[in-house]
Amino acid sequence: MSNDDDLFNQDGLADEWASALAEQAEPEPVELESFDQPAGRSFSESERKKLDSILDIPVTISMEVGRSNISIRNLLQLNQGSVVELDRVAGEPLDVMVNGTLIAHGEVVVVNEKFGIRLTDVISQTERIKKLK
């Protein structure tokens, strides 16, 4: 496959994702608020600069299907084909974690043979801040 074919397939994949995402209702813009100040107060220029400085910091986002506790003995006995029972029922929403903190729940979607996640419930900003403390 040539580089042109790869580029075409990537553009097609991007179109598939765009159409899948367009099926969802357009979310309303979220206005970040300061939790130390009264609601409705806008940010000063220096506050905006501070906020802008952290918006590009990379974070790790992960989707958790479930968890299981096993002994080290059982862990060492795992091999290809082993099945580990998880604490979730099939069809239950996935947890969406950012740097280990729960921020949302979602469901698996498949677009052009690739997995994605559609967010079904997002934890409020206030609740996320409380969990950080």
Side-chain angles (χ1 to χ4, degrees), residues 40-64:
R41 181 184 178 278
S42 60
F43 289 115
S44 69
E45 187 61 32
S46 65
E47 290 170 327
R48 284 206 180 276
K49 286 180 182 179
K50 288 178 186 177
L51 183 59
D52 286 343
S53 69
I54 65 167
L55 291 178
D56 292 327
I57 295 174
V59 295
T60 300
I61 185 168
S62 59
M63 288 40 152
E64 187 173 284

Side-chain angles (χ1 to χ4, degrees), residues 115-131:
F115 287 112
I117 187 164
R118 178 179 292 129
L119 301 181
T120 56
D121 180 40
V122 178
I123 308 298
S124 72
Q125 288 181 12
T126 306
E127 289 300 315
R128 285 181 267 166
I129 295 291
K130 286 179 185 176
K131 287 183 179 184

Side-chain angles (χ1 to χ4, degrees), residues 5-99:
D5 290 340
D6 286 343
L7 184 58
F8 177 74
N9 288 337
Q10 289 175 357
D11 288 341
L13 180 61
D15 292 342
E16 292 279 339
W17 277 107
S19 65
L21 293 173
E23 291 176 5
Q24 292 181 273
E26 188 67 30
E28 292 189 25
V30 175
E31 178 66 30
L32 295 176
E33 57 184 80
S34 173
F35 295 99
D36 295 330
Q37 300 169 13
R41 181 184 178 278
S42 60
F43 289 115
S44 69
E45 187 61 32
S46 65
E47 290 170 327
R48 284 206 180 276
K49 286 180 182 179
K50 288 178 186 177
L51 183 59
D52 286 343
S53 69
I54 65 167
L55 291 178
D56 292 327
I57 295 174
V59 295
T60 300
I61 185 168
S62 59
M63 288 40 152
E64 187 173 284
V65 176
R67 291 183 183 203
S68 183
N69 289 317
I70 63 173
S71 67
I72 293 175
R73 179 182 320 283
N74 290 341
L75 176 67
L76 294 173
Q77 292 173 350
L78 294 177
N79 55 40
Q80 187 172 351
S82 295
V83 175
V84 177
E85 185 177 346
L86 301 176
D87 61 353
R88 300 251 175 117
V89 178
E92 201 172 328
L94 302 173
D95 288 340
V96 180
M97 315 284 280
V98 172
N99 288 347

